[in-house]
């Protein structure tokens, strides 16, 4: 028993010796580190001097003995690191909400804003539901596009657009082989493009069976076709003006390159017609494969959101407008007065802006990505961070990238090359945009009103004011206010005039048209 007690006391002394290790630095390293990395099983520190005195062992055992600490040593190091962490708990750093911190992840704040938006509008929705009941009718949703299922003039009008596509292809083929001179080709293209814009206007105004939504959809197709054929004409003209080697520089780096005039084919043109872009290229960037999961997600979003969007050009409304905006519009069906406009605009600015945001996501994200994935179109930049816009100009340059690229490539830069100043070039771009906005609104409604044109042209002085006097967050707030307040005023003008024109006259004559 005495021998056993002595042995236990010897072991305790050895352990206590290991615990009482000084913290003095030796050549940049503490003796604690040396004791951890080089202590032998007997508790002695292993140095270069006494390594040779160790019993002869294999190199593998020696490496294991020197480099691998025991469990007691690991516990010892853990205690020391815990003590050192307790001694120092502060460091030089900025608060997260400070701009100098570099913190940019505000996803939780965005989710909070969405939750607050839903909760703030839930009361309005419940009050509307209790006051007016359920107003949704599937038949009215179908009647947005057609009045008679056996008579669909808008769909027929879209089918006829193939005539203008074939005419553009025929003209380019004649130009590529030299049968047409450049002057004759320009004349034929000008006639084809002019008829592309004027023909649907004539049909929509003449036929009463075309609904406003059907007419707007058909005019939208013809507008896109006009911009595409214009780009197709320009690019092929640039190829003819350049040498054959330089013409290939218009193409991107692909495995299979198409050079002019090998691109003047029916297949190439129709791929461009259906591709989600307005600017033509000889070789578009292509994705390696079709991702079915991505395609199905976009398709599901398209069908789900489609029933939540309204068409502001129609007397019949889909889900949100039928349940939310129709009562507001009906309550404001009276001759417009100066003191009524602000109240009516404020009453429907929230649903109008919400529908605009839903439409943006449906068209620019879900629909265009669905088409791009189906056609393996590689360039998916359909929009940029327009929500961070600090100027009006930045917003218009980034919220609709396909149109911005077309205007920059085929309209703005040619004006600058011809000697026009930048300010006049920007004004001309806004003027063209104002024309097409009015073209897509007044013609389907069959009433000439200048509200869309005036709203677009008003962007010029607003853009100058915001860029000159407002910066940073103030400029971003001004952009959002122009979208939330300015747009509903123009929409109110058109919707009010349409309701008064058709439903007041219809009620006076015995019923609506």
């Amino acid at each position: 028993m005495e021998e056993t007690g002595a042995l236990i006391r010897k072991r305790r002394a050895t352990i206590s010796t290991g615990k009482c290790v000084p913290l003095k630095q030796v050549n940049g390293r503490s003796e604690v580190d040396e004791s951890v990395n080089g202590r032998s099983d007997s508790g002695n520190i292993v140095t270069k001097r006494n390594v040779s005195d160790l019993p002869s062992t294999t190199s593998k055992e020696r490496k294991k003995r020197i480099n691998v600490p025991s469990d007691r040593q690991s516990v010892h190091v853990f205690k020391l690191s815990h003590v050192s962490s307790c001694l120092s708990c502060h460091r030089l750093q900025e608060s997260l909400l400070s701009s100098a911190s570099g913190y940019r992840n505000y996803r939780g704040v965005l989710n909070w804003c969405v939750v607050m938006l839903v909760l703030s509008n839930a009361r309005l929705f419940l009050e509307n539901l209790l006051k007016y009941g359920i107003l949704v009718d599937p038949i009215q949703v179908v009647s947005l596009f057609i009045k008679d299922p056996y008579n669909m003039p808008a769909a027929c009008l879209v089918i006829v657009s193939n005539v203008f596509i074939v005419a553009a292809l025929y003209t380019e083929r004649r130009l590529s082989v030299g049968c047409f001179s450049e002057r004759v080709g320009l004349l034929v293209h000008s006639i084809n493009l002019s008829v592309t814009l004027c023909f649907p206007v004539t049909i929509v105004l003449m036929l009463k069976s075309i609904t406003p939504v059907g007419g707007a959809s058909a005019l939208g197709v013809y507008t896109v076709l006009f911009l595409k054929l214009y780009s197709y004409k320009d690019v092929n003209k640039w190829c003819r003006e350049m040498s054959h080697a330089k013409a290939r520089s218009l193409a991107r780096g692909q495995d299979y390159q198409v050079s002019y005039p090998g691109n003047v084919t029916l297949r190439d043109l129709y791929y461009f017609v259906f591709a989600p872009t307005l600017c033509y290229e000889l070789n578009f960037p292509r994705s390696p494969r079709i991702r079915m999961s991505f395609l199905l997600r976009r398709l599901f979003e398209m069908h789900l959101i489609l029933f939540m969007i309204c068409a502001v050009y129609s007397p019949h409304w889909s889900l949100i407008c039928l349940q939310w905006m129709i009562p507001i519009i009906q309550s404001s069906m009276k001759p417009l007065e100066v003191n009524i406009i602000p109240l009516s605009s404020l009453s429907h600015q929230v649903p109008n802006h919400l529908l605009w945001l839903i439409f943006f996501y449906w068209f620019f994200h879900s629909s265009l990505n669905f088409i791009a994935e189906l056609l393996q179109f590689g360039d998916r930049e359909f929009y940029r961070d327009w929500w961070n816009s600090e100027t009006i100009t930045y917003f218009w340059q980034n919220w609709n990238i396909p149109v911005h690229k077309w205007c920059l490539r085929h309209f703005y830069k040619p004006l600058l090359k011809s000697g026009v100043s930048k300010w006049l070039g920007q004004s001309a771009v806004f003027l063209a945009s104002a024309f097409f906005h009015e073209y897509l609104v007044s013609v389907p409604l069959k009433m000439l009103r200048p509200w869309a044109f005036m709203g677009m042209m008003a962007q010029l002085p607003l853009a100058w004011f915001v860029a000159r006097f407002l910066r940073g967050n103030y400029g971003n707030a001004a952009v959002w206010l122009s979208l939330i307040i300015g747009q509903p005023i123009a929409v109110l003008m058109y919707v009010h005039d349409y309701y008064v024109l058709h439903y007041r006259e219809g009620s006076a004559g015995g019923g609506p048209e």
Side-chain angles (χ1 to χ4, degrees):
M1 292 297 292
E2 294 180 357
E3 294 179 356
T4 304
L7 181 61
I8 293 174
R9 285 193 297 273
K10 183 178 181 181
R11 289 181 179 177
R12 287 179 178 176
T14 303
I15 295 174
S16 61
T17 303
K19 289 182 180 180
C20 301
V21 179
L23 299 178
K24 182 179 180 181
Q25 294 286 337
V26 178
N27 294 331
R29 297 180 57 189
S30 64
E31 293 183 1
V32 176
D33 297 333
E34 294 182 358
S35 65
V36 170
N37 294 327
R39 184 178 297 276
S40 63
D41 294 337
S42 62
N44 298 323
I45 298 176
V46 179
T47 62
K48 292 182 179 180
R49 180 177 302 173
N50 57 13
V51 166
S52 59
D53 299 335
L54 293 174
S56 60
T57 58
T58 62
S59 60
K60 185 175 182 181
E61 293 177 352
R62 186 182 302 111
K63 182 178 180 181
K64 181 178 180 181
R65 179 178 298 176
I66 295 175
N67 294 332
V68 179
S70 63
D71 294 338
R72 289 178 297 175
Q73 294 166 348
S74 301
V75 172
H76 177 59
V77 173
F78 173 76
K79 290 181 178 180
L80 289 178
S81 62
H82 176 69
V83 171
S84 62
S85 64
C86 293
L87 293 176
S88 176
C89 62
H90 296 283
R91 61 188 177 90
L92 185 64
Q93 57 184 337
E94 298 285 346
S95 298
L96 287 183
L97 296 181
S98 300
S99 58
S101 66
Y103 184 76
R104 295 293 181 270
N105 186 12
Y106 296 103
R107 181 176 295 273
V109 178
L110 178 62
N111 293 334
W112 171 77
C113 292
V114 173
V115 172
M116 292 300 296
L117 179 64
V118 172
L119 293 178
S120 62
N121 290 283
R123 181 183 61 84
L124 297 176
F125 179 79
L126 291 176
E127 290 180 355
N128 177 281
L129 194 64
L130 295 174
K131 185 176 181 180
Y132 299 101
I134 299 177
L135 303 176
V136 177
D137 186 0
I139 298 178
Q140 288 190 359
V141 176
V142 176
S143 66
L144 284 168
F145 301 93
I146 56 175
K147 290 183 178 180
D148 184 2
Y150 300 100
N151 183 20
M152 296 183 289
C156 296
L157 192 59
V158 173
I159 295 175
V160 174
S161 64
N162 290 277
V163 175
F164 304 99
I165 299 175
V166 175
L169 178 63
Y170 174 80
T171 305
E172 284 301 324
R173 283 185 174 179
R174 296 295 93 189
L175 286 167
S176 64
V177 297
C179 294
F180 284 175
S181 63
E182 290 295 333
R183 182 172 297 179
V184 173
L186 179 61
L187 177 62
V188 176
H189 274 305
S190 300
I191 295 174
N192 186 44
L193 293 173
S194 300
V195 177
T196 302
L197 285 181
C198 298
F199 173 72
V201 174
T202 306
I203 300 301
V204 170
L205 294 178
M206 288 179 59
L207 296 180
K208 295 184 177 180
S209 58
I210 296 183
T211 62
V213 174
S217 302
L219 287 174
V221 170
Y222 273 84
T223 301
V224 171
L225 183 61
F226 170 83
L227 299 176
K228 285 176 177 284
L229 295 182
Y230 192 95
S231 178
Y232 186 73
K233 169 190 74 70
D234 272 0
V235 173
N236 285 307
K237 179 184 177 182
W238 297 339
C239 290
R240 288 190 299 270
E241 292 175 351
M242 301 166 68
S243 63
H244 185 73
K246 289 183 178 180
R248 290 186 178 180
S249 65
L250 294 175
R252 294 174 182 257
Q254 301 290 329
D255 295 335
Y256 175 70
Q257 292 290 330
V258 176
S259 58
Y260 185 83
N263 64 305
V264 187
T265 61
L266 191 65
R267 179 179 179 179
D268 181 86
L269 179 55
Y270 268 96
Y271 179 86
F272 170 56
V273 168
F274 287 103
T277 181
L278 300 176
C279 295
Y280 177 70
E281 289 186 13
L282 273 67
N283 294 274
F284 290 104
R286 304 292 293 273
S287 56
R289 62 184 181 87
I290 298 177
R291 299 167 294 178
M292 291 304 301
S293 59
F294 181 88
L295 194 71
L296 293 177
R297 286 198 301 270
R298 301 290 84 79
L299 183 63
F300 175 75
E301 290 175 355
M302 289 169 60
H303 285 83
L304 177 65
I305 298 175
L306 186 62
F307 291 99
M308 300 174 63
I309 305 176
C310 76
V312 298
Y313 315 127
S314 176
H316 308 292
W317 304 81
S318 59
L319 291 178
I320 294 181
C321 272
L322 186 62
Q323 190 66 46
W324 198 349
M325 294 187 68
I326 283 293
I328 299 175
I329 298 300
Q330 289 177 344
S331 63
S332 64
M333 283 179 56
K334 59 183 69 176
L336 284 179
E337 299 176 0
V338 177
N339 58 342
I340 295 179
I341 295 177
L343 181 61
S344 301
S345 175
L346 291 174
S347 61
H348 79 284
Q349 65 181 357
V350 174
N352 177 85
H353 184 66
L354 179 62
L355 291 169
W356 182 80
L357 293 176
I358 293 174
F359 171 79
F360 168 82
Y361 186 88
W362 175 81
F363 184 77
F364 286 96
H365 185 75
S366 300
S367 300
L368 293 185
N369 271 291
F370 174 82
I371 297 173
E373 190 68 26
L374 192 63
L375 298 177
Q376 294 181 262
F377 185 80
D379 189 1
R380 310 293 176 86
E381 190 185 37
F382 306 121
Y383 56 89
R384 297 192 188 114
D385 59 335
W386 57 265
W387 45 87
N388 294 326
S389 302
E390 297 180 1
T391 61
I392 301 296
T393 305
Y394 186 88
F395 167 78
W396 288 108
Q397 290 175 349
N398 291 275
W399 94 279
N400 190 340
I401 295 299
V403 171
H404 172 67
K405 285 183 178 179
W406 188 95
C407 291
L408 193 66
R409 186 191 194 193
H410 299 284
F411 193 66
Y412 181 69
K413 287 185 177 180
L415 286 177
L416 295 183
K417 290 181 180 180
S418 63
V420 177
S421 63
K422 290 185 178 181
W423 187 85
L424 288 178
Q426 293 177 358
S427 301
V429 171
F430 273 100
L431 183 64
S433 179
F435 166 78
F436 281 107
H437 276 77
E438 196 65 50
Y439 176 85
L440 293 173
V441 177
S442 292
V443 176
L445 292 177
K446 299 178 182 179
M447 60 179 192
L448 183 60
R449 298 292 188 275
W451 311 128
F453 185 87
M454 293 174 60
M456 281 302 303
M457 295 308 297
Q459 297 294 308
L460 285 173
L462 181 61
W464 174 84
F465 177 81
V466 173
R468 182 70 180 274
F469 299 103
L470 300 177
R471 301 288 182 181
N473 293 331
Y474 296 102
N476 182 253
V479 173
W480 278 111
L481 285 175
S482 67
L483 295 175
I484 297 174
I485 298 178
Q487 191 183 64
I489 294 177
V491 173
L492 174 65
M493 297 294 186
Y494 281 107
V495 174
H496 181 275
D497 290 352
Y498 187 90
Y499 265 75
V500 170
L501 181 63
H502 291 77
Y503 280 69
R504 282 285 182 88
E505 292 180 357
S507 61
E513 293 181 357

